[in-house]
Amino acid sequence: MTIAVVVAICIVLLVLAFLAPRLSRHPERATHKAFGSGGRIANLAPGRLGTWLAKPFHSSSKAAGRSADAGRKGRGKLPL
């Protein structure tokens, strides 16, 4: 279920960044903020468990950023 949510967020950011590159910055920052807070809370677990629990949040944030960046790059390559 969680994977489906992350994939959906990435697709929405990709489409939004392709259609409106400037307007996509705010939703991208919001996803980074949400994933970052989840990662910080997960990182409070003791020892290596905290690192392991925070890793999915970091990976999801990275994927959302790459998706939005790909949409902006695709828009930039249009001949318009």
Side-chain angles (χ1 to χ4, degrees):
M1 182 69 180
T2 306
I3 295 172
V5 171
V6 173
V7 169
I9 289 172
C10 287
I11 291 172
V12 167
L13 282 175
L14 177 73
V15 171
L16 187 61
F18 187 78
L19 295 177
R22 285 187 181 174
L23 294 177
S24 69
R25 297 280 184 185
H26 186 68
E28 183 184 2
R29 276 185 294 216
T31 57
H32 286 308
K33 187 175 180 182
F35 287 137
S37 65
R40 282 190 298 275
I41 291 172
N43 204 17
L44 294 176
R48 291 182 190 246
L49 182 64
T51 305
W52 292 336
L53 290 176
K55 187 172 181 179
F57 292 101
H58 178 68
S59 301
S60 299
S61 179
K62 223 165 52 165
R66 285 182 184 170
S67 178
D69 189 44
R72 285 187 211 101
K73 282 184 182 177
R75 172 67 182 246
K77 291 182 180 181
L78 284 178
L80 298 176

